[in-house]
Amino acid sequence: MQPSRSGLTSPLIALTRPPAKLNLFLELLRRREDGYHEIDTIMVPIDWSDTLRLRRIERCGINLSVNWSPSIEIVAARLGIDAKSEPDRFDQVLAIPTDGRNLVHQALGRFLDHFDVSGGFQCELVKSIPAGAGMGGASSDAAAALRCAAQLHGIPLNHPDLSRLASDLGSDVPFFLGIDGQSCLAARATGRGEKVAPIGFSSQIDVVVVFPAISLSTARVYSQATVPSDIETPDRLIDALQGGKLEGIAGGILNRLQGPALKIASQIEEILESMWRCGLIGCQLTGSGSACFGFVPSRVDSVRAAEWLRSQLEPGAIVTSARSVPVPSLIELHQSASH
Ligand SMILES: C[C@@](CO)(OP(=O)(O)O)[C@H](O)COP(=O)(O)OP(=O)(O)OC[C@H]1O[C@@H](n2ccc(N)nc2=O)[C@H](O)[C@@H]1O
Ligand SMILES: Nc1ncnc2c1ncn2[C@@H]1O[C@H](COP(=O)(O)OP(=O)(O)O)[C@@H](O)[C@H]1O
């Protein structure tokens, strides 16, 4: 800990904004004996992000608080969920655990055990990324927590054990951790998703993302999926990404989990239809859903399309214009005001 002017220690706060991701391509290669699927996926991080603040505390253990931005009431109102008349749905979509069920709690617990460091952590998580949306919010938060914890303990951010911890936490977590500390705008992930390779690609992508107020369980969607006999590759998409050609990108997308997700939640089909009608191109579900995205040529177009879709779909869905950003997210270090 850093000494303050008064001579007492003043803990540092690590602040970062874990981004969401979109799966532009997701093919199922085979179902494994352990129940996981070998996949081939192309992921892009976007600027729809949570906020995570972490500081070391002397007391052992993890103290985690979770709030919604701008507030749970405003998010619920946009989603058209009434806490009093639909308490189960409210909980299913908006209740985020603060105990060991939260992936941030698990990440910090495993960090403390693995590196055998003294004390604990106080963590404030502000959610903006919907849960059960296929946007990887929990995974991104967990990767951010591992990186902030390493930073506060002077452990190099490219320490190989962090990758192992990330992979044990969930298949999507290594993507958000970044590869050897390098930042990247798009990556191809294979294995169960934990083998990540950056794609050389430097342009930005503008999209509109719609979260249709339903949380889908990743395990349930995978359990309804079938490995196809003709497996597709993302080669065309990768070429288009590297060439920066929007039509090529939109033409190369695929999500083998879209069919099973639509079977579970058929209302997603109407959302996709509205997105096509609005002029977005390459409209598709991300990951195991329920959020969908579509491409536009520029930021101006995404803001305009999001406004129109909002007038059609809200309340009942959250519509956001978004742009690709690099992973991992930057960490800012601040001196804590009180201790
Ligand atoms: C579908 C994807 C696409 O990026 O994202 P989300 O929709 O969850 O964001 C990922 O494959 C999700 O990764 P993640 O959310 O980390 O899943 P995990 O916690 O590892 O696994 C949850 C469950 O999903 C199934 N699962 C997950 C990954 C995989 N390659 N095959 C699977 O069959 C397994 O039943 C597993 O028990
Ligand atoms: N930090 C977290 N943020 C959001 N959800 C979390 C978190 N930790 C655990 N969860 C649980 O994980 C599930 C959703 O995970 P998430 O990554 O947001 O969705 P998806 O797998 O669809 O991308 C929910 O059941 C939620 O309760």
Side-chain angles (χ1 to χ4, degrees):
M1 290 190 188
Q2 303 269 312
S4 70
R5 260 178 273 155
S6 64
L8 296 170
T9 56
S10 170
L12 283 176
I13 296 183
L15 183 152
T16 194
R17 294 182 174 80
K21 57 85 181 165
L22 299 175
N23 298 85
L24 304 193
F25 184 95
L26 196 163
E27 180 60 294
L28 303 176
L29 307 183
R30 107 186 144 84
R31 191 170 190 280
R32 304 190 330 195
E33 289 296 306
D34 62 6
Y36 281 88
H37 290 76
E38 295 278 324
I39 61 170
D40 190 355
T41 186
I42 305 291
M43 289 193 271
V44 169
I46 55 167
D47 61 359
W48 189 346
S49 51
D50 292 338
T51 302
L52 184 138
R53 283 186 190 80
L54 188 73
R55 71 178 176 111
R56 289 171 61 180
I57 52 173
E58 280 173 21
R59 202 177 52 251
C60 291
I62 293 131
N63 185 343
L64 172 67
S65 68
V66 182
N67 291 294
W68 280 96
S69 169
S71 73
I72 196 163
E73 291 79 14
I74 292 173
V75 177
R78 288 181 74 186
L79 292 170
I81 302 175
D82 179 46
K84 284 204 186 101
S85 61
E86 308 168 281
D88 292 345
R89 190 157 160 253
F90 183 89
D91 279 355
Q92 200 211 349
V93 178
L94 290 164
I96 308 287
T98 56
D99 56 17
R101 289 168 299 164
N102 195 301
L103 223 49
V104 167
H105 201 289
Q106 290 178 30
L108 295 173
R110 290 180 194 207
F111 177 93
L112 291 172
D113 287 348
H114 182 82
F115 290 103
D116 197 21
V117 291
S118 63
F121 288 111
Q122 181 167 323
C123 184
E124 281 168 41
L125 177 63
V126 180
K127 290 296 301 178
S128 178
I129 306 170
M135 295 169 72
S139 308
S140 188
D141 296 342
L146 284 179
R147 293 179 69 250
C148 287
Q151 179 91 50
L152 292 175
H153 277 280
I155 291 165
L157 296 182
N158 60 356
H159 195 298
D161 291 3
L162 291 176
S163 307
R164 230 166 301 140
L165 288 177
S167 167
D168 289 348
L169 283 161
S171 310
D172 268 351
V173 183
F175 165 72
F176 292 105
L177 199 64
I179 308 123
D180 296 330
Q182 289 171 40
S183 96
C184 83
L185 278 165
R188 183 176 189 171
T190 51
R192 63 180 165 85
E194 86 286 16
K195 296 178 188 158
V196 189
I199 294 172
F201 152 69
S202 55
S203 13
Q204 272 168 325
I205 296 178
D206 288 292
V207 287
V208 175
V209 186
V210 180
F211 171 65
I214 321 151
S215 290
L216 288 181
S217 147
T218 299
R220 183 168 174 214
V221 173
Y222 268 111
S223 74
Q224 308 278 310
T226 317
V227 176
S229 46
D230 284 332
I231 286 166
E232 302 231 9
T233 75
D235 299 347
R236 201 153 64 101
L237 174 65
I238 294 171
D239 285 347
L241 282 169
Q242 287 170 336
K245 295 271 180 293
L246 190 59
E247 285 73 22
I249 296 172
I253 61 169
L254 173 93
N255 186 354
R256 204 60 81 180
L257 295 178
Q258 181 165 305
L262 260 56
K263 261 194 225 151
I264 298 169
S266 59
Q267 58 273 53
I268 297 173
E269 209 145 5
E270 287 161 34
I271 299 276
L272 282 165
E273 270 167 31
S274 303
M275 295 173 78
W276 285 112
R277 269 205 308 276
C278 173
L280 303 178
I281 62 168
C283 301
Q284 177 176 282
L285 186 86
T286 173
S288 57
S290 60
C292 300
F293 62 89
F295 300 96
V296 278
S298 71
R299 182 66 129 188
V300 174
D301 295 311
S302 69
V303 170
R304 199 175 296 146
E307 248 170 48
W308 187 83
L309 275 170
R310 221 169 269 137
S311 72
Q312 305 294 304
L313 301 173
E314 286 192 16
I318 290 181
V319 182
T320 299
S321 61
R323 172 170 268 194
S324 55
V325 288
V327 274
S329 53
L330 289 176
I331 298 175
E332 298 166 25
L333 289 177
H334 299 276
Q335 208 80 42
S336 159
S338 61
H339 46 89

